[in-house]
mmCIF file of all heavy atoms in Angstrom:
data_model
loop_
_atom_site.group_PDB
_atom_site.id
_atom_site.type_symbol
_atom_site.label_atom_id
_atom_site.label_comp_id
_atom_site.label_asym_id
_atom_site.label_seq_id
_atom_site.Cartn_x
_atom_site.Cartn_y
_atom_site.Cartn_z
ATOM 1 N N VAL A 78 53.651 -46.264 24.708
ATOM 2 C CA VAL A 78 53.160 -45.755 23.415
ATOM 3 C C VAL A 78 54.273 -45.004 22.697
ATOM 4 O O VAL A 78 54.393 -45.055 21.480
ATOM 5 C CB VAL A 78 51.882 -44.889 23.595
ATOM 6 C CG1 VAL A 78 52.169 -43.578 24.312
ATOM 7 C CG2 VAL A 78 51.229 -44.620 22.259
ATOM 8 N N VAL A 106 47.206 -41.015 31.460
ATOM 9 C CA VAL A 106 48.122 -39.924 31.098
ATOM 10 C C VAL A 106 47.362 -38.606 31.043
ATOM 11 O O VAL A 106 47.843 -37.568 31.515
ATOM 12 C CB VAL A 106 48.846 -40.242 29.776
ATOM 13 C CG1 VAL A 106 49.801 -39.122 29.393
ATOM 14 C CG2 VAL A 106 49.618 -41.557 29.894
ATOM 15 N N GLY A 154 49.595 -30.932 19.563
ATOM 16 C CA GLY A 154 49.563 -32.357 19.218
ATOM 17 C C GLY A 154 48.278 -32.977 19.720
ATOM 18 O O GLY A 154 48.235 -33.559 20.807
ATOM 19 N N LEU A 155 47.204 -32.841 18.902
ATOM 20 C CA LEU A 155 45.885 -33.314 19.356
ATOM 21 C C LEU A 155 45.671 -34.748 18.872
ATOM 22 O O LEU A 155 44.860 -35.017 17.985
ATOM 23 C CB LEU A 155 44.787 -32.385 18.841
ATOM 24 C CG LEU A 155 43.457 -32.511 19.568
ATOM 25 C CD1 LEU A 155 43.545 -31.964 20.991
ATOM 26 C CD2 LEU A 155 42.356 -31.775 18.801
ATOM 27 N N GLY A 156 46.402 -35.677 19.486
ATOM 28 C CA GLY A 156 46.245 -37.093 19.180
ATOM 29 C C GLY A 156 45.340 -37.760 20.203
ATOM 30 O O GLY A 156 44.430 -37.121 20.755
ATOM 31 N N ARG A 157 45.609 -39.039 20.473
ATOM 32 C CA ARG A 157 44.755 -39.796 21.410
ATOM 33 C C ARG A 157 44.723 -39.131 22.785
ATOM 34 O O ARG A 157 43.651 -38.863 23.335
ATOM 35 C CB ARG A 157 45.277 -41.236 21.536
ATOM 36 C CG ARG A 157 45.078 -42.089 20.300
ATOM 37 C CD ARG A 157 45.791 -43.417 20.452
ATOM 38 N NE ARG A 157 47.227 -43.243 20.434
ATOM 39 C CZ ARG A 157 48.038 -43.714 19.475
ATOM 40 N NH1 ARG A 157 47.549 -44.431 18.492
ATOM 41 N NH2 ARG A 157 49.330 -43.490 19.527
ATOM 42 N N ILE A 158 45.915 -38.883 23.352
ATOM 43 C CA ILE A 158 45.954 -38.323 24.710
ATOM 44 C C ILE A 158 45.527 -36.857 24.693
ATOM 45 O O ILE A 158 44.791 -36.403 25.576
ATOM 46 C CB ILE A 158 47.368 -38.493 25.320
ATOM 47 C CG1 ILE A 158 47.740 -39.981 25.386
ATOM 48 C CG2 ILE A 158 47.421 -37.883 26.717
ATOM 49 C CD1 ILE A 158 49.201 -40.257 25.755
ATOM 50 N N ASN A 177 48.538 -28.379 15.492
ATOM 51 C CA ASN A 177 48.828 -29.713 14.971
ATOM 52 C C ASN A 177 49.444 -29.530 13.585
ATOM 53 O O ASN A 177 49.427 -28.438 13.042
ATOM 54 C CB ASN A 177 47.528 -30.527 14.869
ATOM 55 C CG ASN A 177 47.710 -31.982 15.257
ATOM 56 O OD1 ASN A 177 47.991 -32.260 16.421
ATOM 57 N ND2 ASN A 177 47.582 -32.888 14.305
ATOM 58 N N ARG A 178 49.961 -30.623 13.021
ATOM 59 C CA ARG A 178 50.513 -30.493 11.671
ATOM 60 C C ARG A 178 49.416 -30.163 10.669
ATOM 61 O O ARG A 178 49.636 -29.516 9.668
ATOM 62 C CB ARG A 178 51.241 -31.778 11.278
ATOM 63 C CG ARG A 178 52.492 -31.980 12.120
ATOM 64 C CD ARG A 178 53.179 -33.258 11.783
ATOM 65 N NE ARG A 178 52.428 -34.430 12.195
ATOM 66 C CZ ARG A 178 52.945 -35.634 12.328
ATOM 67 N NH1 ARG A 178 54.222 -35.817 12.079
ATOM 68 N NH2 ARG A 178 52.206 -36.660 12.720
ATOM 69 N N LYS A 181 42.163 -31.075 12.650
ATOM 70 C CA LYS A 181 41.366 -32.302 12.819
ATOM 71 C C LYS A 181 39.918 -31.978 12.463
ATOM 72 O O LYS A 181 39.373 -30.961 12.934
ATOM 73 C CB LYS A 181 41.426 -32.780 14.278
ATOM 74 C CG LYS A 181 42.839 -33.065 14.787
ATOM 75 C CD LYS A 181 43.280 -34.434 14.362
ATOM 76 C CE LYS A 181 44.718 -34.705 14.731
ATOM 77 N NZ LYS A 181 45.281 -35.839 14.004
ATOM 78 N N MET A 205 51.574 -32.380 23.586
ATOM 79 C CA MET A 205 51.195 -33.805 23.704
ATOM 80 C C MET A 205 51.636 -34.539 22.446
ATOM 81 O O MET A 205 50.943 -35.428 21.947
ATOM 82 C CB MET A 205 49.681 -33.901 23.931
ATOM 83 C CG MET A 205 49.269 -35.023 24.854
ATOM 84 S SD MET A 205 50.103 -35.077 26.435
ATOM 85 C CE MET A 205 51.054 -36.582 26.274
ATOM 86 N N VAL A 206 52.812 -34.116 21.952
ATOM 87 C CA VAL A 206 53.412 -34.726 20.755
ATOM 88 C C VAL A 206 54.378 -35.831 21.180
ATOM 89 O O VAL A 206 54.816 -35.871 22.323
ATOM 90 C CB VAL A 206 54.179 -33.675 19.922
ATOM 91 C CG1 VAL A 206 53.230 -32.694 19.268
ATOM 92 C CG2 VAL A 206 55.208 -32.936 20.780
ATOM 93 N N PRO A 207 54.762 -36.712 20.257
ATOM 94 C CA PRO A 207 55.799 -37.696 20.574
ATOM 95 C C PRO A 207 57.158 -37.011 20.716
ATOM 96 O O PRO A 207 57.352 -35.908 20.200
ATOM 97 C CB PRO A 207 55.812 -38.622 19.349
ATOM 98 C CG PRO A 207 54.625 -38.252 18.528
ATOM 99 C CD PRO A 207 54.239 -36.866 18.890
ATOM 100 N N VAL A 233 53.486 -33.508 29.963
ATOM 101 C CA VAL A 233 53.507 -34.955 30.250
ATOM 102 C C VAL A 233 53.893 -35.732 28.986
ATOM 103 O O VAL A 233 53.683 -36.939 28.912
ATOM 104 C CB VAL A 233 52.156 -35.482 30.807
ATOM 105 C CG1 VAL A 233 51.822 -34.871 32.142
ATOM 106 C CG2 VAL A 233 51.024 -35.273 29.825
ATOM 107 N N SER A 234 54.437 -35.019 27.981
ATOM 108 C CA SER A 234 54.766 -35.719 26.729
ATOM 109 C C SER A 234 56.193 -36.257 26.773
ATOM 110 O O SER A 234 56.412 -37.425 27.137
ATOM 111 C CB SER A 234 54.523 -34.810 25.522
ATOM 112 O OG SER A 234 55.317 -33.658 25.563
ATOM 113 N N ARG A 235 57.174 -35.437 26.444
ATOM 114 C CA ARG A 235 58.584 -35.810 26.534
ATOM 115 C C ARG A 235 59.392 -34.561 26.887
ATOM 116 O O ARG A 235 59.094 -33.466 26.366
ATOM 117 C CB ARG A 235 59.112 -36.369 25.201
ATOM 118 C CG ARG A 235 58.692 -37.790 24.892
ATOM 119 C CD ARG A 235 59.345 -38.818 25.813
ATOM 120 N NE ARG A 235 58.922 -40.157 25.467
ATOM 121 C CZ ARG A 235 57.902 -40.819 26.029
ATOM 122 N NH1 ARG A 235 57.199 -40.243 26.987
ATOM 123 N NH2 ARG A 235 57.600 -42.040 25.658
ATOM 124 N N ASP A 259 56.012 -33.783 34.189
ATOM 125 C CA ASP A 259 56.174 -35.219 34.463
ATOM 126 C C ASP A 259 57.409 -35.758 33.745
ATOM 127 O O ASP A 259 57.841 -36.876 34.004
ATOM 128 C CB ASP A 259 54.924 -35.963 33.969
ATOM 129 C CG ASP A 259 54.955 -37.463 34.246
ATOM 130 O OD1 ASP A 259 55.226 -37.844 35.411
ATOM 131 O OD2 ASP A 259 54.737 -38.246 33.317
ATOM 132 N N HIS A 282 58.027 -38.934 35.867
ATOM 133 C CA HIS A 282 57.599 -39.643 34.643
ATOM 134 C C HIS A 282 56.740 -40.874 34.990
ATOM 135 O O HIS A 282 57.101 -42.008 34.676
ATOM 136 C CB HIS A 282 58.815 -40.069 33.801
ATOM 137 C CG HIS A 282 58.447 -40.399 32.381
ATOM 138 N ND1 HIS A 282 59.294 -40.215 31.316
ATOM 139 C CD2 HIS A 282 57.297 -40.903 31.846
ATOM 140 C CE1 HIS A 282 58.714 -40.588 30.198
ATOM 141 N NE2 HIS A 282 57.488 -41.012 30.493
ATOM 142 N N ALA A 284 53.116 -40.862 34.503
ATOM 143 C CA ALA A 284 51.739 -40.595 34.086
ATOM 144 C C ALA A 284 50.953 -41.871 33.796
ATOM 145 O O ALA A 284 49.758 -41.950 34.055
ATOM 146 C CB ALA A 284 51.724 -39.681 32.861
HETATM 147 P P1 NDP B 1 49.300 -39.836 19.137
HETATM 148 O O1 NDP B 1 50.173 -40.305 18.044
HETATM 149 O O2 NDP B 1 47.890 -40.282 19.174
HETATM 150 O O3 NDP B 1 49.286 -38.233 19.165
HETATM 151 C C1 NDP B 1 50.405 -37.447 18.865
HETATM 152 C C2 NDP B 1 49.938 -36.168 18.218
HETATM 153 O O4 NDP B 1 51.093 -35.342 17.999
HETATM 154 C C3 NDP B 1 49.260 -36.364 16.856
HETATM 155 O O5 NDP B 1 48.112 -35.566 16.802
HETATM 156 C C4 NDP B 1 50.299 -35.868 15.870
HETATM 157 O O6 NDP B 1 49.795 -35.244 14.738
HETATM 158 C C5 NDP B 1 51.008 -34.819 16.683
HETATM 159 N N1 NDP B 1 52.345 -34.559 16.171
HETATM 160 C C6 NDP B 1 53.301 -35.468 15.908
HETATM 161 N N2 NDP B 1 54.402 -34.849 15.474
HETATM 162 C C7 NDP B 1 54.116 -33.526 15.436
HETATM 163 C C8 NDP B 1 54.848 -32.373 15.072
HETATM 164 N N3 NDP B 1 56.099 -32.462 14.630
HETATM 165 N N4 NDP B 1 54.246 -31.175 15.174
HETATM 166 C C9 NDP B 1 52.981 -31.091 15.612
HETATM 167 N N5 NDP B 1 52.231 -32.145 15.989
HETATM 168 C C10 NDP B 1 52.804 -33.344 15.882
HETATM 169 O O7 NDP B 1 50.055 -40.219 20.473
HETATM 170 P P2 NDP B 1 49.464 -40.322 21.954
HETATM 171 O O8 NDP B 1 48.512 -39.203 22.161
HETATM 172 O O9 NDP B 1 49.005 -41.701 22.231
HETATM 173 O O10 NDP B 1 50.807 -40.090 22.786
HETATM 174 C C11 NDP B 1 51.514 -38.867 22.653
HETATM 175 C C12 NDP B 1 52.815 -38.923 23.417
HETATM 176 O O11 NDP B 1 52.575 -38.883 24.807
HETATM 177 C C13 NDP B 1 53.647 -40.193 23.257
HETATM 178 O O12 NDP B 1 54.356 -40.230 22.039
HETATM 179 C C14 NDP B 1 54.571 -40.097 24.436
HETATM 180 O O13 NDP B 1 55.735 -39.371 24.104
HETATM 181 C C15 NDP B 1 53.756 -39.301 25.467
HETATM 182 N N6 NDP B 1 53.400 -40.139 26.618
HETATM 183 C C16 NDP B 1 53.889 -39.828 27.866
HETATM 184 C C17 NDP B 1 53.612 -40.636 28.948
HETATM 185 C C18 NDP B 1 54.131 -40.328 30.311
HETATM 186 O O14 NDP B 1 54.223 -41.240 31.147
HETATM 187 N N7 NDP B 1 54.454 -39.103 30.623
HETATM 188 C C19 NDP B 1 52.818 -41.867 28.810
HETATM 189 C C20 NDP B 1 52.301 -42.066 27.471
HETATM 190 C C21 NDP B 1 52.593 -41.229 26.429
HETATM 191 P P3 NDP B 1 49.011 -35.989 13.552
HETATM 192 O O15 NDP B 1 47.601 -35.997 14.021
HETATM 193 O O16 NDP B 1 49.270 -35.118 12.388
HETATM 194 O O17 NDP B 1 49.628 -37.365 13.440
#
Side-chain angles (χ1 to χ4, degrees):
V78 68
V106 180
L155 198 70
R157 290 172 291 246
I158 300 170
N177 219 66
R178 293 178 291 198
K181 302 278 175 197
M205 216 52 247
V206 290
V233 296
S234 61
R235 284 291 181 266
D259 182 50
H282 198 149

